[in-house]
Amino acid sequence: MPASKNISVLFIEDSPNDAELAQLALERSGYTLHTELGYSQAGVVRALQLRAFGLILADFILPGFSGSQALQEARRLAPQTPFIFLSGVFGEEHAVNMMRSGAVDYVLKQNLGFLPKAVERALAEVNERRRRLQAEQALREVEVRARLAIDAARLGMWDYEPQSGALIWDQRCRAMLGIGEQDPVDMPLFERLCHPEDRKRIREEIARAFPPAAGVYKWLGLDVNTVGLEVEALRGRTTPHDPGRTLVSGALRNIRDIEVVPPPLVVVLKDAKGATVTRRVLRLDGPPILPGQVQGFAVVIPDPQGRVAGLSVDYLLEDAPRPAAKASSKSLPAPRAKTSADSAVREDGGLRR
């Protein structure tokens, strides 16, 4: 479903003329805007506390205030609202730092023609995240109802913890299968107790229920990523002042229920045929990522011959991710992160997911 064209926008801008030009660029692309203008820290904080905005557009240089401070306030008071920098001067270093801090994009004021596309991508990412959260909530509700139905029907119940490989059977399940209450159980035992003609189907069903489970994919001969981090908003674009360099940015979302220290990332730039042009290992030095939270990343990679047509991001698993705090295996749900994320060329010269 396309993002709504009717949005409320907070302009953090000390030049009303620049804000009006940006507004006109968006209105020409079919957006209906409800705008508010602020440029002081107090004004920005007050605006974010009084109402919710669908989008924040901010200059980087402000009198007595800065775009980075505005981004910090927005992350604190409106963390789900996409934040785009709209600045007359924005170098590579600022771009990398701000996108690592949570900005979703940046557009130079002299290139306002790119602003509608940047806004469209930002709003689409917000909608996708909202749909995913709704789907996860619906799944949790289904699981609760299923457990209640199992209890009412007095059926045996078992749980598999893919991260630890542990298999848990309740007393009724053990009794039905003739297993003692203290006897150890695991997936190989479970498979042996199944009818030979059912084993393949059971493996396939488990694989569908827990796609990233290492044990399941080992059965099926497939690779698996158990990092527990999902790559979001991956994109790349030519740096504004140097066409021979590509800025790659994105975010990692923690989909576990414990803190995770992210492993290094391998960023690969590809040509139009999918062949590797160059690669870069990016080690993230930020704090552990809290459950459900996001940490941005960005890196500038040389592309002197201008051959880049796509990119991918993968995890360097030789440095395995470490939980930031000790937790029992029961607190480790099946990770749902994709092992890698891929992007293709965007028409306006950048890269889209």
Side-chain angles (χ1 to χ4, degrees):
M1 177 171 48
S4 172
K5 291 282 189 174
N6 192 335
I7 54 175
S8 59
V9 181
L10 174 61
F11 281 98
I12 304 177
E13 172 64 74
D14 63 316
S15 170
N17 291 335
D18 287 349
E20 185 175 356
L21 289 173
Q23 181 174 346
L24 288 172
L26 291 174
E27 289 176 344
R28 289 193 189 104
S29 295
Y31 287 96
T32 300
L33 306 184
H34 307 277
T35 64
E36 185 167 337
L37 182 66
Y39 60 86
S40 67
Q41 183 171 10
V44 169
V45 170
R46 183 168 56 253
L48 292 173
Q49 289 175 335
L50 291 178
R51 58 180 292 196
F53 293 92
L55 176 69
I56 300 173
L57 297 176
D59 197 351
F60 189 74
I61 301 175
L62 300 163
F65 193 35
S66 72
S68 60
Q69 290 174 306
L71 177 58
Q72 291 175 11
E73 296 293 357
R75 295 288 292 167
R76 180 174 66 88
L77 297 171
Q80 301 303 320
T81 304
F83 190 109
I84 297 176
F85 276 109
L86 186 62
S87 182
V89 179
F90 208 73
E92 284 180 12
E93 183 178 353
H94 289 314
V96 170
N97 291 336
M98 292 305 97
M99 297 182 85
R100 283 178 176 173
S101 299
V104 301
D105 212 337
Y106 71 92
V107 177
L108 295 177
K109 289 183 177 180
Q110 54 266 38
N111 292 329
L112 286 178
F114 291 152
L115 181 58
K117 282 290 186 183
V119 171
E120 180 181 349
R121 289 192 303 273
L123 297 179
E125 289 167 8
V126 169
N127 288 339
E128 177 60 29
R129 187 178 302 126
R130 185 181 299 115
R131 284 194 295 270
R132 183 171 58 252
L133 292 175
Q134 291 172 347
E136 291 173 353
Q137 177 61 30
L139 179 59
R140 285 192 291 268
E141 293 174 358
V142 168
E143 291 173 345
V144 169
R145 289 197 295 270
R147 288 180 180 272
L148 291 174
I150 289 171
D151 290 341
R154 298 182 60 79
L155 297 175
M157 186 172 66
W158 57 272
D159 286 302
Y160 176 50
E161 297 178 351
Q163 186 67 26
S164 64
L167 183 65
I168 303 170
W169 290 357
D170 67 3
Q171 289 183 348
R172 186 166 180 79
C173 188
R174 286 174 174 269
M176 292 170 63
L177 295 172
I179 304 298
E181 291 188 8
Q182 303 302 321
D183 292 344
V185 293
D186 53 23
M187 291 306 291
L189 172 62
F190 180 76
E191 184 179 355
R192 289 196 301 271
L193 292 172
C194 295
H195 191 282
E197 295 180 2
D198 293 334
R199 290 171 186 167
K200 182 176 183 296
R201 178 184 172 189
I202 288 173
R203 291 176 181 176
E204 292 172 350
E205 293 296 332
I206 293 175
R208 277 194 285 269
F210 304 104
V216 173
Y217 277 103
K218 184 178 180 180
W219 282 347
L220 302 178
L222 301 174
D223 293 331
V224 61
N225 166 34
T226 56
V227 173
L229 299 175
E230 185 173 274
V231 178
E232 295 184 347
L234 177 64
R235 59 178 171 266
R237 64 182 343 182
T238 302
T239 54
H241 303 299
D242 186 352
R245 295 161 69 85
T246 297
L247 170 63
V248 178
S249 65
L252 299 176
R253 178 176 294 277
N254 183 356
I255 57 173
R256 291 185 182 174
D257 58 2
I258 59 171
E259 297 178 352
V260 172
V261 177
L265 302 179
V266 180
V267 183
V268 179
L269 301 184
K270 303 177 180 180
D271 63 17
K273 295 183 178 179
T276 298
V277 175
T278 185
R279 67 195 297 270
R280 177 72 57 84
V281 174
L282 176 60
R283 299 184 182 274
L284 305 178
D285 53 4
I289 305 177
L290 299 176
Q293 296 300 304
V294 172
Q295 178 176 318
F297 64 86
V299 61
V300 175
I301 303 177
D303 176 30
Q305 298 180 0
R307 297 168 53 203
V308 173
L311 64 92
S312 68
V313 172
D314 207 340
Y315 301 109
L316 187 62
L317 294 180
E318 63 186 32
D319 292 338
R322 305 177 303 280
K326 237 179 175 181
S328 69
S329 60
K330 291 185 178 181
S331 68
L332 299 175
R336 293 159 291 176
K338 291 175 283 189
T339 303
S340 64
D342 296 282
S343 290
V345 175
R346 205 174 64 207
E347 292 181 357
D348 60 7
L351 302 171
R352 59 176 171 76
R353 187 170 182 179

